[in-house]
Amino acid sequence: MHKLRLLQAGIFVFFSPSVFAYATPECVRADSNKIESLFDRWNESLKSGDAKKVASNYLSDSVLLPTLSNKIRLTDAERVDYFEHFLQKKPVGEIISRTVRTGCNKAVDSGVYAFRFSDNSIVNARYTFTYFWDGQNWKISSHHSSAMPES
């Protein structure tokens, strides 16, 4: 019983609450190529310069642990606020290495990416995107990004 409680706690920490709120009648399992394309969709929204467009990739209650801020972003407004500032640097992301895992209505994409900014500076960061199928689209349920500690 103790192991079951630990497993349940881990699941609730790993996925946002909306993962459990959406009732999807079927199991949608994306292949790795589809999940990899979700980064491309997100990166294209960065290039648009529109913070609301970037934030639309996320579930309304997703967790964003951003690259260039110490503040955890838990609401749409907080994510838009972060991206309004982040987009001023005109970031373009590139995947350096990744591992994709898929499951029923969920997927995880983890690895290392780099952001090149308009001033030609580059930030290498570790990332994890968790995705959830909401019945119509794949959305980001959590996104952790942290700059590499060593240069």
Side-chain angles (χ1 to χ4, degrees):
M1 187 66 167
H2 180 67
K3 288 181 182 178
L4 179 60
R5 286 186 188 168
L6 288 175
L7 176 61
Q8 289 171 333
I11 289 170
F12 281 105
V13 169
F14 188 66
F15 292 104
S16 74
S18 64
V19 169
F20 301 101
Y22 293 103
T24 54
E26 61 186 82
C27 175
V28 175
R29 185 182 293 266
D31 64 19
S32 292
N33 291 334
K34 175 60 181 173
I35 299 307
E36 290 175 9
S37 76
L38 297 174
F39 173 81
D40 297 332
R41 177 184 75 181
W42 179 81
N43 197 34
E44 286 302 313
S45 68
L46 290 180
K47 293 176 189 177
S48 77
D50 182 346
K52 289 182 181 177
K53 186 172 183 178
V54 179
S56 73
N57 291 293
Y58 295 78
L59 291 171
S60 63
D61 65 342
S62 66
V63 176
L64 171 61
L65 304 170
T67 313
L68 301 180
S69 172
N70 292 333
K71 183 178 178 187
I72 298 170
R73 310 303 169 121
L74 300 173
T75 67
D76 289 328
E78 290 173 337
R79 284 184 293 279
V80 168
D81 175 68
Y82 172 73
F83 286 116
E84 284 176 343
H85 295 93
F86 186 67
L87 293 175
Q88 290 175 359
K89 300 174 179 287
K90 300 188 182 342
V92 176
E94 177 185 0
I95 299 292
I96 307 301
S97 67
R98 72 167 12 129
T99 300
V100 172
R101 302 276 190 254
T102 61
C104 187
N105 300 327
K106 60 184 179 268
V108 179
D109 178 1
S110 300
V112 175
Y113 54 22
F115 289 106
R116 180 178 297 277
F117 299 102
S118 60
D119 65 0
N120 287 323
S121 64
I122 297 174
V123 172
N124 293 312
R126 296 173 284 206
Y127 74 88
T128 298
F129 287 98
T130 63
Y131 296 99
F132 180 72
W133 177 254
D134 71 359
Q136 297 179 346
N137 296 297
W138 287 99
K139 296 283 193 159
I140 299 167
S141 57
S142 66
H143 177 191
H144 174 231
S145 181
S146 57
M148 298 294 263
E150 301 172 10
S151 51

